[in-house]
Amino acid sequence: MDLPSAARSGLLPALVEAHTRCGAIDASEAGRIAAGLRMPAALAWEAASSFPDFERETARGAEPVCVGPACLAAGAIAGPGQVAVECQHRCFEAPAAGEDAPFPESAIRLAGPLLAPEDTDWRGLDAARASGRDGVLAGLERSGLRGRGGAYFPVASKWSAALARERPLALVVNAEEGEPGVYKDRALLCRRPRRFVEGLAIAIEALAPAVTVIFLNGRAQGAMESMRSALESHGDILPAAPRVVRGGGGYVLGEETTMLNAIEGRKPVPRVRPPFPVESGLWGMPTVVNNVETIASLAVIFREGAAAFRARGTAAAPGTRLLSVSGAVARPGVYEVEMGVTIARVLEMAGGPAARPIVAALAGGPSGGFLPESTFGTPLLPGQLHATGAALGAGGLLFLDSPAAVRKTALYLAEFNAAESCGKCTPCREGAPRAHEMLASGNKAGLEDLLEVMAVASLCGLGQMAPGPIRSALHFWPELFA
Ligand code: SF4
């Protein structure tokens, strides 16, 4: 059975509203929502109970204390009157406590064209409008822009593939940013929202989508308020107001097909591909999914010109990108760097070690891996940085200053991936918890085989990449897990 899409797509906004009002959503509340939407209660509860944020009673009166990887490495622990919460994406001030707050300008440590002070005109949009759809696609092609979400797929190719279907299409902005240790899209939305709106206008100009959705992390209150304000102030440059949808938690929600299911009011789990979203995505429409940094980069490209964009970075990976730098460095925060910069140079820009010498960097968070200081000459480029798993990913870089911190972080990430597994496929659902147990106990017989099965047989990136932190930690620091 399928339901009219209009009714079903009202489910997630209704769940978010109920969670805000009630603190948690139980089956009876889901049933009331379902009745209002004229959908079966079982379908509403199936979706609601799959979002981790909706199950939990909001900790009223208790102060949230972040125990994400950067805060954990900084010694975070919840005391009396406090409650431990997952990464609050404020790693630049680890250990972080309190509610979500607007991203501070002071945590932007290095600005390039993307994070430069905002302009007062719309020169990028004007240039895009003057060149038309074909001109925008040609400009994108010349710029060499690759998506900044982690897969680094060429943006011009993705747009062309969706347009080639010659059907009404959807544009979805991925502002979920649920990866622990990453906060650069929050920085953009809070501090440079006008640049994001200009980029969005350029994308809409070229793609002429039938529907535009911005999917925002449900806990990113500061980014939500800043973006809403920018859309109110500058929305006149958009042909129609985009629909803004907030999530309900879960790392896998950042996976694009999971996000499409969530927007449609379905259980937030990945879809089997093919078809890919550019073929059949939101409500079956060809769908372009780009993240906030990718969208904002459009404003830079059409303002400065494709050649200027291409002059930065490397031939294969042009432009700048935002890094979320955290951990044991003197100046954690967001750094706009040219693609291809080395980890050693980033460490130097971040002021070097805060106290003790740095022994390792975690690149790519739960879907990446650890690198020892001896490899810090590695350039940060799309794809794997080391065969054991480290990857540039969404641009998270956590510096650690002791082997004990490496062990603690590796165990945290193994447990995190197990907890975040949506359970749809067996290799990840059964493999991730078992891999965590084996790593923690030191009984590693068969662990490498298990990791290999997870990497090749899991349905989505969460299970496929979860072996990275384990493999890399074991490869470089086997003595920590004996
Ligand atoms: S790999 Fe994990 S998160 Fe992805 S579909 Fe399978 S069980 Fe779900």
Side-chain angles (χ1 to χ4, degrees):
M1 175 178 57
D2 207 354
L3 294 161
S5 58
R8 193 160 190 161
S9 65
L11 179 61
L12 184 51
L15 292 172
V16 169
E17 186 281 325
H19 181 248
T20 306
R21 179 167 40 81
C22 307
I25 297 174
D26 57 16
S28 62
E29 182 63 28
R32 275 190 287 278
I33 291 170
L37 296 172
R38 297 175 184 274
M39 66 185 291
L43 292 184
W45 180 234
E46 179 192 47
S49 59
S50 301
F51 288 102
D53 284 2
F54 297 156
E55 289 177 314
R56 270 177 225 131
E57 181 72 38
T58 303
R60 299 183 191 282
E63 183 186 34
V65 172
C66 178
V67 291
C71 292
L72 204 60
I77 188 164
Q82 296 179 318
V83 60
V85 293
E86 291 155 16
C87 186
Q88 296 277 284
H89 306 274
R90 289 163 56 200
C91 321
F92 49 86
E93 57 186 12
E99 304 291 345
D100 182 80
F103 188 91
E105 184 71 29
S106 59
I108 293 180
R109 301 291 193 170
L110 182 65
L114 197 51
L115 288 174
E118 291 183 316
D119 312 284
T120 53
D121 58 27
W122 301 107
R123 211 168 66 237
L125 177 59
D126 293 342
R129 280 182 175 152
S131 53
R133 171 181 287 173
D134 290 346
V136 170
L137 285 172
L140 263 184
E141 184 80 47
R142 280 198 305 277
S143 76
L145 177 67
R146 291 170 176 267
R148 298 312 199 217
Y152 295 93
F153 196 79
V155 176
S157 300
K158 181 183 274 193
W159 287 20
S160 297
L163 288 165
R165 314 304 291 186
E166 296 187 344
R167 290 194 285 127
L169 61 80
L171 170 63
V172 175
V173 178
N174 183 346
E176 168 54 26
E177 198 169 53
E179 179 176 314
V182 175
Y183 45 83
K184 47 89 184 174
D185 282 350
R186 286 167 171 80
L188 270 171
L189 290 175
C190 286
R191 308 310 313 185
R192 305 292 183 268
R194 193 180 196 276
R195 186 153 293 133
F196 167 72
V197 174
E198 184 173 20
L200 183 62
I202 292 169
I204 292 173
E205 185 72 21
L207 295 168
V211 58
T212 300
V213 179
I214 302 173
F215 191 93
L216 194 91
N217 188 295
R219 297 182 203 154
Q221 188 61 29
M224 166 62 85
E225 288 167 10
S226 175
M227 186 186 69
R228 280 223 158 110
S229 169
L231 288 172
E232 276 171 25
S233 302
H234 310 301
D236 55 339
I237 66 166
L238 304 174
R243 190 172 158 210
V244 178
V245 178
R246 302 190 71 171
Y251 179 37
V252 75
L253 202 48
E255 194 278 334
E256 58 186 6
T257 62
T258 307
M259 183 173 297
L260 299 181
N261 275 344
I263 296 168
E264 291 185 5
R266 299 175 192 278
K267 184 176 179 178
V269 293
R271 297 177 182 177
V272 176
R273 306 183 218 202
F276 293 92
V278 290
E279 300 163 327
S280 178
L282 192 63
W283 298 304
M285 289 187 281
T287 300
V288 168
V289 183
N290 287 137
N291 77 349
V292 171
E293 184 181 347
T294 309
I295 292 291
S297 296
L298 301 173
V300 173
I301 289 168
F302 289 93
R303 174 169 294 273
E304 294 195 337
F309 183 83
R310 227 192 155 110
R312 299 184 176 95
T314 70
T320 62
R321 85 144 303 165
L322 306 184
L323 298 181
S324 304
V325 178
S326 55
V329 294
R331 292 195 299 273
V334 173
Y335 289 77
E336 185 175 355
V337 299
E338 294 195 24
M339 299 284 272
V341 68
T342 64
I343 299 172
R345 177 68 187 125
V346 175
L347 177 58
E348 190 184 350
M349 289 189 285
R356 295 184 296 180
I358 301 296
V359 303
L362 170 71
S367 302
F370 298 91
L371 290 166
E373 191 273 340
S374 58
T375 65
F376 282 6
T378 304
L380 292 173
L381 290 168
Q384 281 202 330
L385 305 176
H386 190 274
T388 55
L392 179 53
L397 212 49
L398 170 67
F399 287 98
L400 300 167
D401 63 2
S402 72
V406 173
R407 177 180 160 84
K408 188 157 64 168
T409 308
L411 288 171
Y412 167 86
L413 295 174
E415 189 174 19
F416 175 87
N417 280 324
E420 295 294 328
S421 169
C422 79
K424 182 166 179 171
C425 68
T426 306
C428 172
R429 182 186 64 241
E430 304 298 327
R434 184 73 188 117
H436 171 243
E437 283 169 23
M438 294 165 92
L439 190 70
S441 68
N443 179 7
K444 303 188 292 293
L447 177 56
E448 184 46 48
D449 288 345
L450 175 62
L451 297 177
E452 185 62 14
V453 170
M454 289 172 62
V456 301
S458 291
L459 179 60
C460 85
L462 192 152
Q464 293 162 3
M465 310 289 272
I470 300 174
R471 274 182 172 150
S472 56
L474 285 172
H475 176 80
F476 291 114
W477 294 274
E479 71 282 3
L480 296 177
F481 305 93

